[in-house]
Amino acid sequence: MGLENITKDMLWFAAIFFFTVPPVLRFRENYMVPLLATLLVFGFYTQAFWMPDFYAAQDWIGIVIICICILIAYFLCGWIVHYIWGKYKSVYLKNIGAFKPLFNAWIFSKYYQIGDDYIIEIRRLRMFEVAFADVAKIEYQFDAEPAIVSLRITDGVEREKEILNEFCIDETNPCFEKVCELINEHFPDIDENWLDNAQNSGNVMPVILFQKTPKAEN
């Protein structure tokens, strides 16, 4: 199709699609957002390319296929933005290769990269990484319903709300045991039995395992 055959309706379809990529990317955990955006873009598709007969059963096959293709396009566009945005956000990911961690985070919505000297929590368009040498506070919380211990690690740096401020992981995650091992290795003053104590105490309030003494101001 030549450029001379492109109509205003086709341009509107493309404009609305790319205009709705950012909110779908940002709120992809909420499936209503991509579904509603798909219906909106499909409406412009019918104006630009094909108007189905909603009373014809065979046309519904085409409607479903087109909507699925729009969702796939959202997914691919979101992944491209996610990868470009996150590829150079972490010095550690640059060293080990960012593709696999970012891809896993995009598919599963959360991914942990655990190293001997650092930990990274990756979410869609958000990331928090900290070296153990820079950790300012480690705390755990026991959640009674369900009975799970959650671990929080932060470097104490205040950040904007849209940026992760701490590394959060609970004992249902397979990486939890490795993180605990590294904590015991890097912070020998922490009781090695803190996890057992947390599970037995039933304390639902956050308990500080480690906290740096703030430097005195001159």
Side-chain angles (χ1 to χ4, degrees), residues 114-119 130-133 135 137-140 149-154 167-169 175-195 207-211:
I114 312 299
D116 290 337
D117 298 312
Y118 65 89
I119 47 177
V130 63
F132 283 106
V135 169
K137 183 168 70 173
I138 302 173
E139 65 180 16
Y140 74 81
V149 176
S150 301
L151 190 65
R152 294 181 176 87
I153 303 174
T154 180
F167 178 95
C168 301
I169 191 170
C175 296
F176 185 81
E177 184 177 346
K178 178 62 175 177
V179 174
C180 292
E181 291 177 1
L182 290 171
I183 286 177
N184 292 332
E185 177 184 333
H186 287 276
F187 305 94
D189 293 337
I190 294 178
D191 183 1
E192 292 185 1
N193 299 317
W194 70 265
L195 181 56
V207 177
I208 297 176
L209 293 174
F210 168 81
Q211 187 168 14

Side-chain angles (χ1 to χ4, degrees), residues 64-79:
V64 171
I65 292 174
I66 292 170
C67 288
I68 290 176
C69 288
I70 293 173
L71 284 170
I72 292 173
Y74 274 135
F75 185 88
L76 293 177
C77 288
W79 157 246

Side-chain angles (χ1 to χ4, degrees), residues 8 11 15 25 28 33 62 72 86 91 94 103 106 124 135 137 143 148 164 166 181 192-193 197-198 213 215:
K8 289 183 179 180
L11 294 175
L25 172 67
R28 201 166 72 82
V33 176
I72 292 173
V91 62
K94 282 192 291 185
F103 184 77
W106 184 245
R124 298 189 183 106
V135 169
K137 183 168 70 173
D143 300 316
I148 296 175
L164 292 181
E166 57 188 13
E181 291 177 1
E192 292 185 1
N193 299 317
N197 296 336
T213 303
K215 294 180 180 180

Side-chain angles (χ1 to χ4, degrees), residues 76-93:
L76 293 177
C77 288
W79 157 246
I80 292 171
V81 175
H82 174 71
Y83 181 69
I84 293 175
W85 179 90
K87 185 178 181 181
Y88 298 106
K89 280 287 181 178
S90 165
V91 62
Y92 305 109
L93 291 185

Side-chain angles (χ1 to χ4, degrees), residues 19-166:
F19 182 78
T20 52
V21 165
V24 171
L25 172 67
R26 178 64 183 83
F27 299 108
R28 201 166 72 82
E29 288 86 349
N30 183 343
Y31 293 105
M32 287 301 297
V33 176
L35 291 176
L36 292 175
T38 297
L39 292 177
L40 173 66
V41 173
F42 177 75
F44 281 88
Y45 181 91
T46 61
Q47 299 297 315
F49 298 100
W50 173 60
M51 176 62 73
D53 181 356
F54 291 96
Y55 294 99
Q58 64 271 17
D59 280 13
W60 278 95
I61 298 175
I63 292 172
V64 171
I65 292 174
I66 292 170
C67 288
I68 290 176
C69 288
I70 293 173
L71 284 170
I72 292 173
Y74 274 135
F75 185 88
L76 293 177
C77 288
W79 157 246
I80 292 171
V81 175
H82 174 71
Y83 181 69
I84 293 175
W85 179 90
K87 185 178 181 181
Y88 298 106
K89 280 287 181 178
S90 165
V91 62
Y92 305 109
L93 291 185
K94 282 192 291 185
N95 293 334
I96 66 173
F99 184 89
K100 182 176 180 292
L102 290 175
F103 184 77
N104 287 331
W106 184 245
I107 296 293
F108 301 111
S109 82
K110 186 186 293 186
Y111 182 76
Y112 298 102
Q113 183 68 41
I114 312 299
D116 290 337
D117 298 312
Y118 65 89
I119 47 177
I120 306 175
E121 178 180 341
I122 310 170
R123 301 185 191 178
R124 298 189 183 106
L125 284 189
R126 293 196 292 172
M127 182 186 303
F128 176 77
E129 65 175 6
V130 63
F132 283 106
D134 298 324
V135 169
K137 183 168 70 173
I138 302 173
E139 65 180 16
Y140 74 81
Q141 180 172 333
F142 179 83
D143 300 316
E145 294 293 337
I148 296 175
V149 176
S150 301
L151 190 65
R152 294 181 176 87
I153 303 174
T154 180
D155 57 4
V157 178
E158 293 186 3
R159 296 177 175 85
E160 297 178 4
K161 292 182 178 180
E162 290 299 312
I163 302 175
L164 292 181
N165 292 312
E166 57 188 13

